[in-house]
Amino acid sequence: MIAALFAAAAISAACDLEAPSGEVGCTRAAVDALPMNAMQVIGSHNSYKMAIAPNEMAMIRAVNAKEADAIDYSHAPLKDQLDAGARQLEIDVVYDPDTGLYSAPLGFKMAGKNAVPYDFAPLKQPGLKVLHEPSVDYRSVCPLFAGCLKDIRDWSKAHPEHVPLLVIMNLKEGGLSIPGATKAPLFDAKAMNAIDAEIRAAFPEAALITPDKVQGKRATLREAVAAGGWPKLKAARGKVMFALDCPPEQAARYREGRKVLEGRVAFVNIDEASPAAGYITLNEPKELGGRIAAALKAGLIVRTRADADTWEARANDTTRQAEAFASGAQYVSTDYMSPDARFGPYVAKLPGGGKARLSPAALASGSPAFP
């Protein structure tokens, strides 16, 4: 505990952990001695998502105005988001075992001759695909998972001093229950292995932070993170961590009978008591504030959200984002790293500016997870 407080106290509250300037309280040596779970950064939700074409959005709104509002947001290309300071990205992945399943979406077909052009060629290529919903919300800045990974890897190689990136993956299954809608197939064992294969094809082992590396010689990942197993920032710079934000049944399929996550690339969103606990998604910073605090004290990496479903942006309400940052969660996700002029000035920024700051939980914790 004393070591934790000393290390954290040596860092100025205004210090940008990614680019310390050298002033007192912000030296590279002091920053690099921190474990990566002592930092806090901002990132984006559904980072790949392009805007739905206006005429297709009008069709959705005619059926369900509330749902239309909730999905009425978009993001810049991944590299632009990373340049702007995003250090967490979220990618929705769908399985395409026979290739081309998503290349003729219902919404595009219903728009007919008035359909806004979209390049479906990538969706006809082999590999995992990236989209929000197969039939009506399919436009993506990187339709191929391999393409998203390449964009992230290229940016990371060009910025080797960045704090560790977190790439969250949601595995989409099913679809709308309407005639003509496309249903995404189940992620079976072959599909789960394809996730790891595509990640490892894009990233060398040295560029990854994996469950095995964090667990080390400890019996479980949960035990390792509670004992301070996360790498120090010096070792974690320029690296990427992947996590599945998935329900228990998907986590079980990904683990496929493993005691923990042996040999797997990604961490999994799982109950804090599990031997595989190292990462957890707790998206409601107010309602789940106590659970976030407990997870942080136990050494877990936590992701929460500053806003959701466009509601905060439409009301210019910063209450939730203030709660998200104050929670100490290491990765805080937003749809508004820049304002949407249609809704007003709402924007989410890391308090104090910069790319990464000391998490409010680091100073408050008496846990060995912050050695």
Side-chain angles (χ1 to χ4, degrees), residues 159-364:
H159 301 82
E161 295 301 303
H162 69 74
V163 295
L165 305 179
L166 171 62
V167 179
I168 299 170
M169 299 170 288
N170 289 320
L171 309 184
K172 295 287 190 172
E173 300 172 341
L176 299 177
S177 297
I178 57 176
T182 301
K183 298 292 182 71
L186 186 83
F187 272 80
D188 58 15
K190 184 177 179 180
M192 293 297 187
N193 289 336
I195 294 170
D196 281 11
E198 292 200 16
I199 293 172
R200 291 193 184 280
F203 291 86
E205 184 66 24
L208 295 170
I209 297 169
T210 64
D212 283 341
K213 290 178 181 178
V214 174
Q215 183 175 335
K217 296 181 179 180
R218 298 278 180 173
T220 67
L221 182 59
R222 180 178 181 273
E223 179 184 329
V225 300
W230 293 104
K232 299 293 191 290
L233 279 176
K234 182 175 183 178
R237 290 187 186 278
K239 295 184 179 179
V240 182
M241 168 183 166
F242 287 84
L244 294 185
D245 180 6
C246 57
E249 61 272 17
Q250 285 186 339
R253 274 183 258 141
Y254 185 69
R255 291 175 71 191
E256 200 179 20
R258 292 167 170 82
K259 178 184 177 183
V260 186
L261 284 161
E262 297 86 351
R264 283 304 198 190
V265 174
F267 296 79
V268 291
N269 173 33
I270 201 164
D271 183 85
E272 298 95 318
S274 168
Y279 163 83
I280 193 166
T281 298
L282 297 169
N283 282 332
E284 304 297 332
K286 180 178 181 180
E287 294 83 347
L288 299 176
R291 194 172 169 192
I292 290 174
L296 294 171
K297 190 172 182 179
L300 275 67
I301 294 286
V302 179
R303 181 264 201 158
T304 195
R305 289 183 65 177
D307 42 70
D309 300 330
T310 78
W311 309 136
E312 285 81 10
R314 293 174 189 273
N316 192 27
D317 184 354
T318 60
T319 304
R320 178 172 174 161
Q321 72 165 272
E323 293 165 344
F325 289 119
S327 76
Q330 292 93 346
Y331 293 92
V332 176
S333 181
T334 180
D335 283 317
Y336 300 96
M337 289 187 63
S338 59
D340 185 329
R342 300 173 302 161
F343 302 151
Y346 178 85
V347 66
K349 297 287 187 183
L350 189 69
K355 305 296 192 300
R357 71 168 185 164
L358 183 67
S359 164
L363 271 174

Side-chain angles (χ1 to χ4, degrees), residues 7-8 10-12 15-21 25-39 160-164 230-238 356 358 371:
I11 307 300
S12 165
C15 182
D16 181 353
L17 304 186
E18 187 163 298
S21 59
C26 198
T27 64
R28 173 54 64 96
V31 168
D32 279 352
L34 291 169
M36 63 173 278
N37 61 318
M39 71 175 189
E161 295 301 303
H162 69 74
V163 295
W230 293 104
K232 299 293 191 290
L233 279 176
K234 182 175 183 178
R237 290 187 186 278
L358 183 67

Side-chain angles (χ1 to χ4, degrees), residues 44-49 73 75 90 92 132 170 303 335:
S44 58
H45 160 253
N46 288 347
S47 312
Y48 59 87
K49 189 178 176 319
Y73 61 92
H75 290 293
E90 184 176 24
D92 286 353
H132 192 221
N170 289 320
R303 181 264 201 158
D335 283 317

